Amino acid sequence: MAATVPAPPGPRVRAVLRRRSYRSFRPDPLPAETIRALRDVAASAPSVEGRRSGRVVVLDDPEVARRMPRAVTAGLVGKINPWLLRSNPPLFLVVAGDSRSGLRDGDRHWYNVDGAVAGQLAVLEATGRGAGSCWMAGFHERSVAEAAGLGEGERPLAVIPVGHPAVGPESGGSWLGRGWDAAAQRILSARRKPLERIAHRGRFGVPFIAGEVPWAARGVAGDDDAAWPGLGPLRPAAGFSGEPVDESRLAVLLECARWAPSAENSQIARHVVVEGRAVAGALLAAAFPDAPIETEQLPPLVIVCLAAPFPIRARTREQPFFLIDVPIAVANLLVAAADLGLGWQVAFRFEHHAVAGALGVPDDHRVVALVALGIPARAPAAGPRSPLDQLRPAG
Ligand SMILES: Cc1cc2nc3c(=O)[nH]c(=O)nc-3n(C[C@H](O)[C@H](O)[C@H](O)COP(=O)(O)O)c2cc1C
């Protein structure tokens, strides 16, 4: 049996669990090193088939940062975020996708996935460096595209202000933002669904009852005093050893998915845990009927990530929340994996209905991703690249 995960957890897991949305910022600028790190993360984020159909633009020009709140709140939708007009963040991330020539299958525009993963990686890098942020899907599209200088055919799908969080009356932040934060954290964020409601073992509907990971279940509060090593480049594993992933690692992974931000705190992401090479093999045969996976390429663990229905379904028709919120939770899994000594491969393009059928997923849920995890193999498996290995660096 593999060794269990020690508590307290590593810095990346702590950042995942500590992150909360902040809507009020101190007036001071972010250190140049933080801005550089955000650019690096945005530039090196993996994407579906390495195509970079979606990306994160880092906007630290003070003039652009000054104009962005008006651009966001122009029009009707942006009016849901009046706090931004007062919160003065020194930097904005704009998550954007190539609507014209980005990779897509039918109505699934994969730029949503690329943007969601890159955006969440940048958010976690900011968290690790003590900066706060807030994903925002409520904004005026044309004004934001213009203010961010997006290219022809590119559409923004989220705006993320970043700055040092202003907490407490002496912090210099706006009362509106601080009040909004306090209310949102108490009313929305604190009401996280319990793990057994969002995670299932083996088959949809069988609650995943985790062993004790008390520090993870509460989230992690307060400043991080540990030195932040940086997220580092997020790269898929070349293959997996057959060694099983122990329960404590699994519980930490699922807690990390559970603390992902989601629009309206809807927490639509669900996770079905499929354990053992043989069981994973049967599922993957259904997922990839035309591309059988060699036995030695099979992972010992697959977390199948789904979306539950929610009344607010999409930002725009092309930008459904199931293709944004679920990949954000996937990004949390991948960042946590690095701290847990696990490698990963992720697929988004496969036979979604066959996987749903095999796991008993109800018709109103959507299967989104297959996240394969395991101890990385020492040497890459022979043969062609696994069909699971779709979230890749560019090039
Ligand atoms: C895709 C997406 C869109 C969001 N849009 C907004 C928004 O427009 N305004 C806002 O104040 N918060 C927005 N949020 C933040 C959520 O309300 C927040 O993540 C959720 O309440 C959970 O709280 P936490 O992030 O503090 O854990 C958004 C989050 C996501 C992931």
Side-chain angles (χ1 to χ4, degrees), residues 19-21 23 80-81 83 134-138 180 188-189 192 261-265 321 324-325 328:
R19 182 219 55 82
R20 296 288 181 282
S21 294
R23 298 170 181 84
I80 65 168
N81 289 308
W83 53 267
C134 183
W135 278 87
M136 297 172 66
W180 210 287
L188 279 175
S189 179
R192 281 293 198 282
S262 59
E264 302 275 328
N265 202 23
F321 284 120
I324 302 173
D325 285 351
I328 288 176

Coordinates of all heavy atoms in Angstrom, one line a residue, residues 19-21 23 80-81 83 134-138 180 188-189 192 261-265 321 324-325 328, ligand 1:
R19 N -8.0 29.4 -1.7 CA -8.6 30.4 -2.6 C -10.0 30.7 -2.3 O -10.8 29.8 -2.1 CB -8.4 29.9 -4.1 CG -8.9 30.9 -5.1 CD -9.7 30.2 -6.2 NE -10.7 29.4 -5.7 CZ -11.9 29.9 -5.4 NH1 -12.2 31.1 -5.5 NH2 -12.9 29.1 -4.9
R20 N -10.4 32.0 -2.2 CA -11.8 32.4 -2.2 C -11.8 33.6 -3.1 O -10.8 34.2 -3.4 CB -12.2 32.9 -0.8 CG -12.1 31.8 0.3 CD -13.3 30.8 0.1 NE -13.2 29.9 1.2 CZ -12.3 28.8 1.2 NH1 -11.5 28.6 0.2 NH2 -12.3 28.0 2.3
S21 N -13.1 33.9 -3.6 CA -13.2 35.1 -4.4 C -13.1 36.4 -3.6 O -13.7 36.4 -2.5 CB -14.6 35.1 -5.1 OG -14.6 34.0 -6.0
R23 N -13.4 40.7 -3.8 CA -14.0 41.7 -4.7 C -13.6 43.1 -4.2 O -14.2 44.1 -4.6 CB -15.6 41.6 -4.7 CG -16.0 40.2 -5.3 CD -17.5 40.0 -5.1 NE -17.9 38.7 -5.6 CZ -17.8 37.5 -5.0 NH1 -17.2 37.5 -3.8 NH2 -18.2 36.4 -5.5
I80 N -24.7 43.5 -12.8 CA -24.7 42.6 -11.6 C -23.4 42.7 -10.8 O -23.3 42.2 -9.7 CB -25.0 41.1 -12.0 CG1 -23.8 40.5 -12.8 CG2 -26.3 40.9 -12.7 CD1 -23.8 39.0 -12.9
N81 N -22.5 43.4 -11.4 CA -21.2 43.6 -10.7 C -20.8 45.0 -10.3 O -19.7 45.5 -10.7 CB -20.1 42.9 -11.5 CG -20.2 41.4 -11.5 OD1 -20.3 40.8 -10.4 ND2 -20.2 40.8 -12.7
W83 N -19.9 46.4 -7.7 CA -18.7 46.5 -6.8 C -17.4 46.8 -7.5 O -16.5 47.4 -7.0 CB -18.6 45.2 -5.9 CG -18.5 43.9 -6.7 CD1 -19.6 43.1 -7.1 CD2 -17.4 43.3 -7.3 NE1 -19.2 42.1 -7.8 CE2 -17.8 42.2 -8.0 CE3 -16.0 43.6 -7.4 CZ2 -17.0 41.3 -8.7 CZ3 -15.2 42.8 -8.1 CH2 -15.6 41.6 -8.7
C134 N -11.3 37.3 -8.5 CA -12.7 36.9 -8.6 C -13.0 36.6 -10.1 O -13.0 37.5 -10.9 CB -13.6 37.9 -8.0 SG -15.3 37.4 -8.0
W135 N -13.4 35.4 -10.4 CA -13.9 35.0 -11.7 C -15.2 35.9 -11.9 O -16.0 35.9 -11.0 CB -14.3 33.6 -11.8 CG -13.2 32.6 -12.1 CD1 -12.3 32.0 -11.2 CD2 -12.8 32.1 -13.4 NE1 -11.5 31.2 -11.9 CE2 -11.7 31.3 -13.2 CE3 -13.2 32.4 -14.7 CZ2 -11.1 30.6 -14.3 CZ3 -12.6 31.7 -15.8 CH2 -11.6 30.8 -15.5
M136 N -15.4 36.4 -13.1 CA -16.6 37.2 -13.4 C -17.1 36.8 -14.8 O -16.4 36.9 -15.8 CB -16.4 38.7 -13.4 CG -15.9 39.3 -12.1 SD -15.4 41.0 -12.3 CE -17.0 41.7 -12.7
A137 N -18.3 36.3 -14.8 CA -18.9 36.0 -16.2 C -20.0 37.1 -16.5 O -20.5 37.0 -17.7 CB -19.6 34.6 -16.1
G138 N -20.3 38.0 -15.6 CA -21.3 39.0 -15.9 C -20.6 40.3 -16.4 O -20.1 41.1 -15.6
W180 N -19.6 43.1 0.0 CA -20.0 42.1 -1.0 C -19.3 40.8 -0.7 O -19.8 39.7 -0.7 CB -19.7 42.6 -2.4 CG -20.6 42.0 -3.5 CD1 -20.6 40.8 -4.0 CD2 -21.6 42.8 -4.2 NE1 -21.6 40.6 -4.9 CE2 -22.2 41.9 -5.1 CE3 -22.1 44.1 -4.2 CZ2 -23.2 42.2 -6.0 CZ3 -23.1 44.4 -5.0 CH2 -23.7 43.5 -5.9
L188 N -22.8 32.5 0.2 CA -22.6 31.6 -1.0 C -21.5 30.6 -0.8 O -21.8 29.4 -0.8 CB -22.2 32.5 -2.2 CG -23.3 33.2 -3.0 CD1 -22.7 34.0 -4.1 CD2 -24.3 32.2 -3.6
S189 N -20.3 31.1 -0.5 CA -19.1 30.2 -0.5 C -19.1 29.2 0.6 O -18.7 28.1 0.4 CB -18.0 31.2 -0.5 OG -16.8 30.5 -0.5
R192 N -20.8 25.2 0.8 CA -20.3 24.1 -0.2 C -21.1 22.8 0.1 O -21.4 22.5 1.2 CB -18.8 23.9 0.1 CG -17.9 24.9 -0.5 CD -17.9 24.8 -2.0 NE -16.8 25.4 -2.7 CZ -16.6 26.7 -2.9 NH1 -17.5 27.6 -2.4 NH2 -15.6 27.2 -3.6
P261 N -14.1 27.4 -7.6 CA -15.1 28.4 -7.8 C -16.1 28.0 -8.9 O -15.7 27.3 -9.8 CB -14.3 29.7 -8.2 CG -13.1 29.1 -8.9 CD -12.8 27.8 -8.2
S262 N -17.3 28.5 -8.8 CA -18.3 28.2 -9.9 C -19.2 29.4 -9.9 O -19.4 30.1 -8.9 CB -19.0 26.9 -9.6 OG -19.7 27.0 -8.3
A263 N -19.8 29.6 -11.1 CA -20.7 30.7 -11.3 C -21.9 30.5 -10.4 O -22.4 29.4 -10.3 CB -21.2 30.7 -12.8
E264 N -22.2 31.6 -9.6 CA -23.3 31.6 -8.6 C -23.1 30.5 -7.5 O -24.0 30.1 -6.9 CB -24.6 31.3 -9.3 CG -25.0 32.2 -10.4 CD -25.7 33.4 -9.9 OE1 -26.4 33.3 -8.9 OE2 -25.5 34.5 -10.5
N265 N -21.9 30.1 -7.4 CA -21.6 29.0 -6.5 C -22.5 27.8 -6.7 O -22.9 27.1 -5.8 CB -21.6 29.4 -5.0 CG -20.8 28.4 -4.1 OD1 -19.9 27.8 -4.6 ND2 -21.2 28.4 -2.8
F321 N -21.9 27.0 -19.0 CA -21.1 26.9 -17.7 C -20.6 25.5 -17.5 O -19.6 25.3 -16.9 CB -21.9 27.4 -16.5 CG -22.0 28.9 -16.5 CD1 -23.2 29.5 -16.5 CD2 -20.9 29.6 -16.4 CE1 -23.3 30.9 -16.5 CE2 -20.9 31.0 -16.4 CZ -22.1 31.7 -16.4
I324 N -17.1 25.5 -18.6 CA -16.3 26.4 -17.9 C -16.1 26.0 -16.4 O -14.9 25.7 -16.0 CB -16.9 27.9 -17.9 CG1 -17.0 28.3 -19.3 CG2 -16.0 28.8 -17.1 CD1 -17.8 29.6 -19.5
D325 N -17.2 25.8 -15.7 CA -17.1 25.4 -14.3 C -16.4 24.0 -14.1 O -15.6 23.9 -13.2 CB -18.4 25.4 -13.6 CG -19.0 26.8 -13.4 OD1 -18.2 27.8 -13.5 OD2 -20.1 27.0 -13.0
I328 N -12.7 24.2 -14.6 CA -12.0 24.8 -13.5 C -11.8 23.8 -12.4 O -10.7 23.8 -11.8 CB -12.9 26.0 -13.0 CG1 -12.9 27.2 -14.0 CG2 -12.4 26.5 -11.6 CD1 -13.8 28.3 -13.6
Ligands
LIG1 C1 -17.4 31.1 -14.3 C2 -17.6 32.0 -13.1 C3 -18.3 33.2 -13.2 C4 -18.5 34.0 -12.1 N1 -19.1 35.2 -12.2 C5 -19.2 36.0 -11.1 C6 -19.7 37.4 -11.3 O1 -20.0 37.8 -12.4 N2 -19.7 38.2 -10.2 C7 -19.3 37.7 -9.0 O2 -19.3 38.5 -8.0 N3 -18.8 36.5 -8.8 C8 -18.7 35.6 -9.8 N4 -18.2 34.4 -9.7 C9 -17.6 34.0 -8.4 C10 -18.6 33.0 -7.7 O3 -19.7 33.6 -7.2 C11 -17.8 32.3 -6.6 O4 -16.8 31.5 -7.1 C12 -18.7 31.3 -5.7 O5 -19.6 32.1 -5.0 C13 -17.9 30.5 -4.7 O6 -17.2 31.3 -3.8 P1 -15.6 31.3 -3.7 O7 -15.0 31.6 -5.0 O8 -15.3 32.4 -2.7 O9 -15.2 29.9 -3.3 C14 -18.0 33.5 -10.8 C15 -17.3 32.3 -10.7 C16 -17.1 31.5 -11.8 C17 -16.3 30.3 -11.7

